[in-house]
Amino acid sequence: MERLTRKIDIFLQNWKRDEKRLPLIIKGARQIGKTEAITHFAKQKYKSVIEINFVLQKQFKGIFDNGFDVDTIIKNISLINPDFEFPAGETLIFFDELQDCINCATSLKSFKIDGRYDVICSGSLMGINYREIESNSVGYKEDYEMFSLDFEEFLWAKGYREEQIEGFYQKLLTTTPLSAIEYNTMLENFREYMVLGGMPAVVFAFVTQKNFSGSLRLQRQLLLDYEEDISKYAEGLDKGKILDIYRKIPVFLGKENKKFQISKVRSGARNRDYVGVVEWLNCAGIINVCYCMSAPELPLKGNYNPDHYKIYYRDTGLLVASLDEEVQADLRHNKNFNTYKGALYENIVGDMLVKQGYSLYFYRNEKGTVEMDFFVRDANSLVPVEVKAEDNATVSLNALITKDKYGDIRYGIKLANKNIGFNGKFYTIPYFLTFMLKRFLSEKTTTE
């Protein structure tokens, strides 16, 4: 295998076909494959590729010092490297590590108006702060957020074809149970994905070696790299507080209610002392934040308590790598995924929802008698999503669906280690098909 096929490959192909394409900014957490995907695309589609890395080639950071006129920028680039060629209509300029030269984004308006060259910028979310950019080139750029591999991309890496995956989707759409061989094979693939996560280096090593050898070492190095980047890029915030929260996430996920409490991070800590810290980790692509809804009703946005939330790792493989070695051994060898109080299942479902474009919300009433892990929506209704580590009672899900006071809810979703089904109130969907949920809710609504 030469490389991993990614969904951004399709996006970039479509972007190139669009005659009205805008300069592109591709953002995402570190080491998720941004640079590799862009350079692979560029070599296929352009006669000349001008690749500038602002971290490794700091001499290029001054190319905008004389302003943002395209001819001036090209002249400055050529002064530094006279071997570069710029044939109009056949050149891609790729500015990598944008976070180390953020005023580069200001030039995108000039490049769009000029029209001779295509431009793609890439950068770590950890270092991109648009408030520091002189001008954001509003209306003259397109933003694309990239993630680590989702489960469908993982299946591609293992050799599954699109028509095979589409066959699983058609069974979901028609509420047709999977065969025993389909179910058991997909469950095994999903358990591998839960342990590995979606970081490209980890997945590539696994699919080429066909075993877990070295995967934990790679994951632990990524965790250390994130800590190093926090220290490098967390300007204006207390880096110690960011690391406090970052290192405590597994502790909170191990609790029964998984609620994040600042007071448990450090003795005497208060919410106001940590303002911006959780938001920074979220914006950096390291965590997903799931907010508690004020009431289980539409609209989702604006209907939540900003001080009551859960925190999940953006990549479940990194969560596994952060756990005690005994837990990791249990997961890798015994596949005993229920030992961690359902946190792994919630974490990976949250990640799969975010990768489909969902924001994360949960609900817990004051008495604690009604709790729901996540909420999504279709065109007409609010849809509660319950995540079950074990196939036990669904009291809260039934209450939300059947009680008249929850008028926006008409049916629900139960994600569990169970086959596809529908009991008249909620759909049962195996965990491993969660990545199809948005398409399912959209197409189910239009076919009813």
Side-chain angles (χ1 to χ4, degrees):
M1 176 184 289
E2 292 184 2
R3 67 182 294 269
L4 300 171
T5 302
R6 304 298 303 277
K7 290 184 176 178
I8 194 174
D9 297 342
I10 302 164
F11 172 84
L12 289 170
Q13 300 280 359
N14 292 334
W15 175 79
K16 181 72 168 70
R17 291 191 196 102
D18 185 359
E19 293 182 0
K20 296 180 180 179
R21 62 186 171 276
L22 299 170
L24 188 61
I25 296 180
I26 296 175
K27 301 176 290 186
R30 65 172 288 137
Q31 299 189 35
I32 56 168
K34 300 184 297 295
T35 300
E36 189 280 332
I38 296 166
T39 53
H40 175 75
F41 158 76
K43 288 173 184 175
Q44 289 182 315
K45 296 295 181 180
Y46 292 89
K47 181 178 180 180
S48 178
V49 180
I50 311 300
E51 182 174 354
I52 294 171
N53 184 308
F54 290 118
V55 169
L56 301 179
Q57 300 166 297
K58 296 187 184 299
Q59 66 270 32
F60 284 98
K61 292 173 74 170
I63 61 177
F64 308 107
D65 288 351
N66 305 114
F68 299 104
D69 172 72
V70 171
D71 285 330
T72 303
I73 295 169
I74 299 303
K75 178 183 176 182
N76 287 339
I77 293 173
S78 298
L79 283 170
I80 298 170
N81 187 340
D83 292 333
F84 281 149
E85 296 181 357
F86 297 84
E90 299 178 289
T91 299
L92 175 72
I93 302 175
F94 173 27
F95 294 121
D96 201 3
E97 303 291 2
L98 172 66
Q99 73 278 359
D100 270 49
C101 185
I102 50 181
N103 277 339
C104 171
T106 309
S107 70
L108 299 184
K109 179 177 180 179
S110 299
F111 277 108
K112 172 56 184 172
I113 293 171
D114 181 271
R116 285 175 289 168
Y117 312 111
D118 288 349
V119 179
I120 296 179
C121 300
S122 174
S124 165
L125 284 171
M126 199 173 286
I128 293 179
N129 184 347
Y130 278 152
R131 283 172 292 189
E132 298 176 32
I133 297 175
E134 289 179 17
S135 167
N136 201 8
S137 294
V138 175
Y140 294 92
K141 66 174 179 60
E142 180 177 0
D143 291 289
Y144 180 92
E145 185 172 354
M146 187 176 173
F147 301 95
S148 62
L149 279 82
D150 67 15
F151 184 51
E152 185 171 20
E153 290 172 310
F154 179 76
L155 291 175
W156 293 347
K158 291 204 67 179
Y160 287 89
R161 300 184 305 276
E162 288 189 26
E163 56 265 30
Q164 290 176 296
I165 299 171
E166 181 64 21
F168 297 135
Y169 176 73
Q170 290 303 319
K171 287 198 168 184
L172 176 61
L173 187 62
T174 56
T175 324
T176 305
L178 300 171
S179 70
I181 190 169
E182 288 173 328
Y183 191 97
N184 293 331
T185 304
M186 287 291 284
L187 181 60
E188 181 62 25
N189 285 322
F190 189 63
R191 284 172 168 168
E192 291 172 352
Y193 179 67
M194 285 182 76
V195 170
L196 293 164
M199 301 304 280
V202 177
V203 173
F204 188 82
F206 175 78
V207 295
T208 51
Q209 296 171 180
K210 302 188 186 307
N211 59 54
F212 288 108
S213 176
S215 61
L216 181 57
R217 177 181 53 80
L218 286 169
Q219 289 168 322
R220 284 180 169 167
Q221 185 57 52
L222 285 165
L223 289 169
L224 291 173
D225 289 344
Y226 278 145
E227 290 206 10
E228 184 179 316
D229 276 5
I230 287 170
S231 298
K232 181 178 179 181
Y233 289 115
E235 297 177 4
L237 288 171
D238 185 327
K239 296 168 186 179
K241 289 178 179 176
I242 296 177
L243 290 170
D244 277 347
I245 290 180
Y246 175 66
R247 292 166 179 163
K248 289 284 195 329
I249 295 171
V251 176
F252 288 102
L253 286 177
K255 291 167 56 182
E256 202 61 52
N257 67 2
K258 303 174 188 67
K259 180 185 174 183
F260 187 82
Q261 293 172 287
I262 291 292
S263 60
K264 304 294 185 184
V265 173
R266 185 187 289 181
S267 178
R270 297 167 297 182
N271 265 309
R272 65 173 177 268
D273 297 329
Y274 283 76
V275 170
V277 172
V278 171
E279 181 187 4
W280 189 90
L281 283 166
N282 188 29
C283 291
I286 297 174
I287 64 171
N288 289 320
V289 181
C290 183
Y291 290 101
C292 185
M293 297 179 69
S294 303
E297 59 189 30
L298 294 172
L300 281 166
K301 291 185 177 178
N303 175 29
Y304 65 88
N305 182 349
D307 296 324
H308 187 180
Y309 50 84
K310 299 178 183 181
I311 294 178
Y312 300 104
Y313 267 95
R314 193 65 76 92
D315 186 90
T316 302
L318 297 186
L319 168 60
V320 171
S322 71
L323 302 177
D324 295 336
E325 291 189 11
E326 294 77 12
V327 178
Q328 293 170 9
D330 199 13
L331 294 174
R332 291 168 188 269
H333 303 301
N334 303 324
K335 299 174 183 173
N336 187 12
F337 290 92
N338 295 344
T339 57
Y340 204 54
K341 300 182 180 176
L344 290 174
Y345 291 104
E346 278 191 37
N347 198 98
I348 201 163
V349 167
D351 178 53
M352 294 169 93
L353 293 177
V354 167
K355 285 174 176 172
Q356 292 172 77
Y358 287 114
S359 298
L360 301 183
Y361 303 96
F362 74 101
Y363 179 70
R364 185 176 190 273
N365 66 4
E366 290 184 5
K367 295 179 181 178
T369 54
V370 177
E371 298 183 58
M372 189 49 51
D373 300 310
F374 299 105
F375 285 89
V376 294
R377 64 163 302 170
D378 63 18
N380 307 308
S381 60
L382 182 67
V383 183
V385 178
E386 187 160 35
V387 181
K388 285 292 186 184
E390 299 174 359
D391 185 27
N392 45 18
T394 53
V395 178
S396 291
L397 187 59
N398 281 311
L400 288 167
I401 296 166
T402 57
K403 290 188 177 179
D404 292 338
K405 64 179 179 178
Y406 305 120
D408 288 337
I409 298 172
R410 295 172 176 82
Y411 65 94
I413 304 285
K414 177 182 175 181
L415 300 173
N417 187 7
K418 285 180 69 77
N419 216 323
I420 298 168
F422 182 61
N423 64 2
K425 292 188 291 186
F426 57 82
Y427 291 90
T428 302
I429 299 175
Y431 300 114
F432 50 76
L433 296 186
T434 303
F435 73 96
M436 298 177 170
L437 192 58
K438 191 162 194 173
R439 181 184 172 194
F440 169 70
L441 292 177
S442 173
E443 296 187 5
K444 181 193 70 65
T445 304
T446 57
T447 56
E448 286 181 346

